[in-house]
Amino acid sequence: MVSRSLARGLAGGALVVAAAAALFFWRLGTHPLIDPDEARHAEVAREMAAADGVRRLFLPTLEYEPYREKPPAYYWLVTLAYRLRGVDEAAARGVAASAALLAVLGLYLYAVPREGVAGALGAAAVAATSTGWLALARYATLDMALTACIVAGVLAGLAWLERPPPRRPPLAPWLAAGAGTLVKGPLAAALVLGPLALAAATRRPRPTFAELRCGRGLLVAGAIVALLYVLPLALFDPGYLAAFATTNVRRLGSASPHPAPLHYYLLWLPVLFLPWTLLAVPAVARAVRDPARRPLLLWLTFVVALLSVPRGKLATYALSATAPLALLTGPPLARAALANEQPADGAFYRACGWLALAVLALAAGAALVAGSTYPVPRAARAAVALAAVAWAAAFALALARERPGLIPAALLGATLTLEALAVGFVVPAVAALHSDRDAAQAIAAAGGTPTVVAFAARAPSLVFYLGRPVEHTDDLEHVRELFARDAPVFLVAGHGHFERLEETLGPRAYVWWTSARRRLYANRPRS
């Protein structure tokens, strides 16, 4: 007979899976791929899926030229998704959504024996509804897959450290480090093994080297990377590894493509963890004094410290730091929501309530007056404004009745409501302005294989939806010569080039499709 606690744990796990699936997969393929990042990764995987031979399986390409920026594992997963359901937006984003679901479930499973079912549900809910997870779980990039590898490896290692000796040497963290390296590169191994090294060094009693078997672990992780990454690429493209290494080393110095100051992640990590950032403050402060939670604090600190060293930085790199924050913040919030008495951190709850009320009031006003930049339907903007006002009223009521324990529940409800409206109405409008899907469809409808030009920009979404490479140029004279021919020519350009192109091409510039940011020209009128 299944015990009551096990039944509750299983029911909680089922709830986590169902809720996360709804949150991450709902309307996943209803809007076009966004340039440049989403479309670029989706196109690399599309070319891999369409290619024949072992060489193309290990050698990523973009517009059929070697793509040496990232390892191939993420593209293998997207290729598999394409094989299962066809090449479309949902398949391209499905890997990130699946990785997010697995990572949330991993947080829940880790927290159940330590925080109880309610606390584990709180940790899972906080992670899943933080800004970083809500955005990147529905975005076709590597960040969520990398985060899932890191979460799996670190949590497995922390659980192993808690076991009483004698214990078998850990294997899962090394496997996760190898898998993460195949997704993103050597940084993944550091983000898995670094927090565990700190946790092992500060644990009493410390695990012995005989228990850790680091040599065996390094051999396992190294074998995964060597057999599936280093050796095949060295064989098929000797220049790949040197180019990949050069790209990663360049991020350390001032020549990085994304230079940022040392304090960059101290500003962006709170943004990634919204709307729970303020409520994380007392939880993090308690972890300093609590040996049981200190490994989570070390994990958080290590991620921020390591990523702050390179000159090149992107906010999404720090997504894995939100996992320990969720494990620290979620359980006390869940207990406060279920308790009848005043929470110990009532001052923070009230401050968060007032801040949320102000933000919602501003959001309601912004939704009503917005629409000039992104053409969100008026009905949708009115719905967002109404939802924001309704939840602002809920916060005002909880504060007026001195019920700060209700603030986390209201925050969760407001986040889920506004996220659903954003996914349904706002994101499609934003994506439509940052994608060439409609232009590609207009070109395909014309028939044949016309010359297609992307002017003064990379256009991965144009390539993805056309299914073939395009010509890239910023030479106006070359464009004039192309448009003077009798053969059909199409050109896609950004809004900053409309005037110059139309002056250069004159009456030969027929507009086939236009938006606020992009325009499709042809050398013949649309029939």
Side-chain angles (χ1 to χ4, degrees), residues 438-498:
D438 293 342
Q441 290 175 346
I443 295 169
T449 55
T451 299
V452 180
V453 178
F455 187 79
R458 304 299 297 181
S461 66
L462 182 64
V463 176
F464 177 86
Y465 288 110
L466 283 176
R468 60 185 179 90
V470 301
E471 181 178 339
H472 298 273
T473 186
D474 59 359
D475 186 340
L476 287 171
E477 187 58 36
H478 177 58
V479 170
R480 191 202 309 270
E481 293 174 359
L482 288 175
F483 269 60
R485 299 174 184 174
D486 292 330
V489 178
F490 290 91
L491 181 145
V492 176
H495 59 93
H497 304 291
F498 294 169

Side-chain angles (χ1 to χ4, degrees), residues 421-446:
L421 290 170
V423 169
F425 302 107
V426 179
V427 174
V430 173
L433 290 183
H434 293 273
S435 177
D436 288 326
R437 182 189 64 180
D438 293 342
Q441 290 175 346
I443 295 169

Side-chain angles (χ1 to χ4, degrees), residues 138-150:
R138 304 179 61 87
Y139 197 71
T141 62
L142 291 71
D143 299 290
M144 203 70 245
L146 172 65
T147 298
C149 292
I150 295 169

